[in-house]
Amino acid sequence: LTTTVTGETLAYAEDTVSRRIYTIRFRDLATGENHPDTIEGTTGGIVWALDNRTVFYVKREEGTMRAYQVWRHTLGTESSADVLVYEEEDAEFLIGISRSRSRDYVLIGSFQTLSHEYRYVDARRPASDPVVFLPRESEHEYDIDHLDGRFYIRTNWEARDFRLLSVEPEESVDKSKWRVEIPARDGIHLRGFELFKDHLVVSERREGISRLKVIP
């Protein structure tokens, strides 16, 4: 079971057969009653747009069970009217969705063992087309988030153990415009990061020991 809330509506996804195939339903928190909307065959991931009426979700491919399509649903409509936002055609990649820390963007990630690629949709304009953050490159792994007008990128570009950079959205495809926030450091693996209003939290591993570091 996975859940996410916007306004007075709870979106939840349930798997009743333990196959990681989820059905998404919607509940009115004021009345406790479910909306008639039902979406089947999903990964369970749900992201709301800022209009509190639109949700993005991921479908699984029949047979392979690969997460391969992102769809858009408007609350109160039939799932047959849902719109395909993005389809990952490369069978080596699978898809995940999330919401940026700023809440400004819906993030669509395509992942393969040695390569990542992200797209983003303006959460204020959920019907807009997804924008490619940086086209996929062989052996380039990166993750992104957004806050205060900048994207932050955890990347192994010129950094075997990853580093953290940032860029303004309109310049994301030009890596020469990426600004270093945390440089590559010998013996320290940058595992992840979380953005907050006044500080940054990073997860690092040094000499086999994991730690969290808070940076103002």
Side-chain angles (χ1 to χ4, degrees):
L1 178 69
T2 62
T3 64
T4 182
V5 178
T6 186
E8 293 185 348
T9 304
L10 167 72
Y12 66 96
E14 57 184 4
D15 170 16
T16 59
V17 294
S18 298
R19 293 190 61 207
R20 293 184 295 171
I21 303 175
Y22 292 82
T23 298
I24 298 174
R25 307 183 195 279
F26 302 86
R27 178 161 297 185
D28 187 323
L29 295 177
T31 66
E33 299 294 328
N34 273 8
H35 291 273
D37 310 46
T38 300
I39 307 170
E40 299 181 347
T42 82
T43 64
I46 310 165
V47 176
W48 287 97
L50 286 174
D51 61 2
N52 293 338
R53 298 181 60 249
T54 305
V55 293
F56 293 82
Y57 62 93
V58 179
K59 278 189 174 182
R60 291 196 183 278
E61 187 176 39
E62 290 188 17
T64 68
M65 300 294 292
R66 180 173 66 99
Y68 80 120
Q69 290 179 335
V70 176
W71 289 76
R72 186 177 71 239
H73 175 79
T74 302
L75 194 62
T77 65
E78 295 288 339
S79 61
S80 59
D82 290 357
V83 176
L84 177 63
V85 176
Y86 174 68
E87 179 174 352
E88 178 52 68
E89 297 181 350
D90 190 329
E92 292 187 355
F93 285 77
L94 54 84
I95 289 177
I97 58 173
S98 60
R99 181 75 164 274
S100 68
R101 175 67 75 174
S102 64
R103 296 177 55 80
D104 291 339
Y105 297 107
V106 176
L107 307 178
I108 302 171
S110 292
F111 309 102
Q112 181 240 36
T113 304
L114 296 176
S115 180
H116 296 175
E117 181 181 59
Y118 274 87
R119 290 166 171 77
Y120 58 90
V121 177
D122 188 335
R124 293 180 176 79
R125 299 187 300 116
S128 60
D129 292 332
V131 178
V132 177
F133 180 84
L134 180 76
R136 64 192 63 175
E137 301 168 331
S138 178
E139 299 187 6
H140 184 200
E141 302 170 58
Y142 72 93
D143 302 298
I144 64 173
D145 204 347
H146 179 270
L147 190 67
D148 290 338
R150 294 185 72 82
F151 276 107
Y152 288 77
I153 314 110
R154 172 186 171 269
T155 173
N156 68 347
W157 170 53
E158 298 182 348
R160 184 184 64 180
D161 286 330
F162 292 85
R163 56 180 175 159
L164 188 70
L165 299 96
S166 71
V167 70
E168 295 183 359
E170 60 272 14
E171 296 179 329
S172 67
V173 296
D174 184 356
K175 288 191 290 186
S176 69
K177 300 294 178 64
W178 291 12
R179 184 178 75 194
V180 176
E181 303 292 345
I182 299 178
R185 295 156 295 164
D186 290 340
I188 300 178
H189 177 60
L190 179 62
R191 302 178 64 196
F193 69 98
E194 290 287 342
L195 303 171
F196 296 89
K197 179 181 178 182
D198 297 317
H199 58 277
L200 168 72
V201 177
V202 296
S203 172
E204 301 176 338
R205 177 178 291 156
R206 182 174 185 174
E207 297 180 347
I209 304 299
S210 298
R211 65 181 182 180
L212 297 177
K213 186 175 182 179
V214 181
I215 304 172

